[in-house]
Amino acid sequence: DIDLENIGQVEVIRGPLSSIYGAGLGGAILINPEKTNSNFASISTTHGSFGLLKNTVSARITSEKSNFNVSYHNLKTDGWRQNSSYKREGVTLSGELFKTENSRLHFLGNFTDLKVFIPSSIDRATFKNNPRAAAGNWLASRGYKDYRSVLGGLGYTFKISNSIENSTSIFANYKDNYEPRPFDILSQYTFSYGVRSQFTGKILQKIDWNAGVEFFQDDYSGRNFQNLYQQNDGQGSSQGNLLANQEQNRQFVNAFAQVKIPIVDKFDLQAGLNYNYTKFSLQGIFPQESPQQNYNYN
């Protein structure tokens, strides 16, 4: 959802060292927006094979106590395979509303509008004879994914003392997705929001530590419809009757702590602790001939 030209740094944290970002089973990826210390404006265009065209407009306004970045991009391509065209349009905002010697208030906002057609997988014989072919049923239904996503966050960092700092952020994300597939049409809506607070500091000017807690909630709605593409005179997907409807509410709590102790030159001892709590409720609503089902899990 975030254009690569707006990213200044990507950090991959592997294994248990990612405990402050979740359960730590799969690691974590940290993405930081691009930062510069001067005013600028830029326009760029990229052309490539298979109808690739990308236009980008960016600007930054900065002052002694604040800065503001805005970037717009429009990317499209016809794709190499059948039924594989791609179009993405988005706007990213980031910056600092104010900064002082001991504190700063920063923000991030992103809007994405994407439509991507799906060629899906093919068998070995088709790949050998015509690797550019799409799967027959996905081509006939013109299967695709079409969604809009809005992400926003506000963070405040405050230096409590010479050795302790707190960072607290609130965030929200909305996404609606419409996805015609040969076997059905999926319509989804998700709204997520939460808060994270983290303390960092040093002990004896050598031992680094951090600890904190985060909470977030997802409200999800999904519906499945018949796809009547076979009765649509070759015009692709056509929405039919409702097959299933489900509502989900998911809550996550994550408490964490980590410490790094230098042992000798170029050798550190690190340890992390994490507590995870997940709760969700699921309500499945099916046509009248099927019973309604409700589930609650902890």
Side-chain angles (χ1 to χ4, degrees):
D1 285 353
I2 300 177
D3 184 40
L4 290 177
E5 292 188 41
N6 296 320
I7 297 175
Q9 180 185 20
V10 177
E11 181 180 358
V12 179
I13 303 178
R14 299 178 295 172
L17 295 182
S18 66
S19 59
I20 63 173
Y21 301 105
L25 301 178
I29 299 176
L30 308 184
I31 299 174
N32 293 310
E34 180 70 31
K35 295 180 180 179
T36 61
N37 296 319
S38 59
N39 297 323
F40 78 90
S42 67
I43 300 175
S44 66
T45 183
T46 302
H47 296 261
S49 303
F50 311 108
L52 172 66
L53 174 63
K54 181 183 180 185
N55 295 311
T56 304
V57 179
S58 302
R60 176 182 173 89
I61 300 174
T62 184
S63 67
E64 184 178 346
K65 294 186 177 181
S66 64
N67 59 75
F68 178 79
N69 303 276
V70 59
S71 177
Y72 165 81
H73 76 274
N74 190 315
L75 169 66
K76 62 180 181 179
T77 176
D78 298 330
W80 183 71
R81 295 177 61 192
Q82 294 176 318
N83 205 61
S84 64
S85 64
Y86 180 99
K87 182 178 180 180
R88 188 184 74 214
E89 189 174 20
V91 178
T92 302
L93 307 173
S94 65
E96 294 174 320
L97 296 177
F98 72 82
K99 56 183 177 180
T100 65
E101 183 179 351
N102 294 319
S103 65
R104 66 187 184 101
L105 181 65
H106 48 97
F107 68 94
L108 173 69
N110 189 78
F111 168 76
T112 300
D113 186 357
L114 178 142
K115 186 173 183 179
V116 52
F117 284 82
I118 304 172
S120 195
S121 56
I122 52 179
D123 59 30
R124 184 175 181 177
T126 304
F127 177 75
K128 184 177 180 180
N129 295 317
N130 184 15
R132 299 181 67 170
N137 54 353
W138 283 86
L139 181 61
S141 64
R142 299 182 186 176
Y144 64 88
K145 177 190 287 284
D146 184 7
Y147 74 75
R148 282 152 297 282
S149 172
V150 180
L151 168 69
L154 195 64
Y156 181 66
T157 301
F158 178 71
K159 192 173 183 180
I160 300 174
S161 68
N162 290 332
S163 59
I164 300 177
E165 184 176 273
N166 173 259
S167 294
T168 299
S169 60
I170 56 174
F171 50 87
N173 183 28
Y174 169 78
K175 180 177 286 189
D176 70 83
N177 175 65
Y178 189 75
E179 188 173 349
R181 298 91 63 91
F183 40 89
D184 70 359
I185 294 178
L186 174 64
S187 178
Q188 298 172 301
Y189 301 89
T190 305
F191 180 65
S192 308
Y193 55 92
V195 60
R196 174 185 174 94
S197 185
Q198 174 177 306
F199 292 86
T200 59
K202 284 183 175 292
I203 300 175
L204 302 176
Q205 301 299 318
K206 293 183 178 181
I207 301 174
D208 293 314
W209 64 270
N210 59 57
V213 64
E214 64 179 356
F215 164 84
F216 57 100
Q217 174 157 334
D218 288 338
D219 296 325
Y220 168 87
S221 173
R223 293 179 293 171
N224 297 80
F225 299 89
Q226 290 178 312
N227 192 340
L228 305 178
Y229 71 94
Q230 293 174 319
Q231 293 87 43
N232 199 28
D233 298 325
Q235 299 302 307
S237 296
S238 176
Q239 184 173 304
N241 294 329
L242 178 69
L243 298 175
N245 184 8
Q246 58 175 278
E247 305 283 340
Q248 294 184 34
N249 298 107
R250 305 180 285 238
Q251 293 181 347
F252 307 89
V253 177
N254 179 40
F256 53 88
Q258 194 177 82
V259 64
K260 183 175 74 172
I261 305 172
I263 304 299
V264 294
D265 188 34
K266 297 184 180 181
F267 185 79
D268 296 328
L269 175 65
Q270 299 188 35
L273 207 58
N274 183 278
Y275 170 76
N276 247 237
Y277 175 76
T278 301
K279 176 182 179 181
F280 69 91
S281 63
L282 167 64
Q283 181 182 37
I285 304 172
F286 299 90
Q288 292 184 355
E289 60 268 20
S290 301
Q292 177 171 312
Q293 300 182 22
N294 296 277
Y295 305 93
N296 285 280
Y297 297 93
N298 290 309

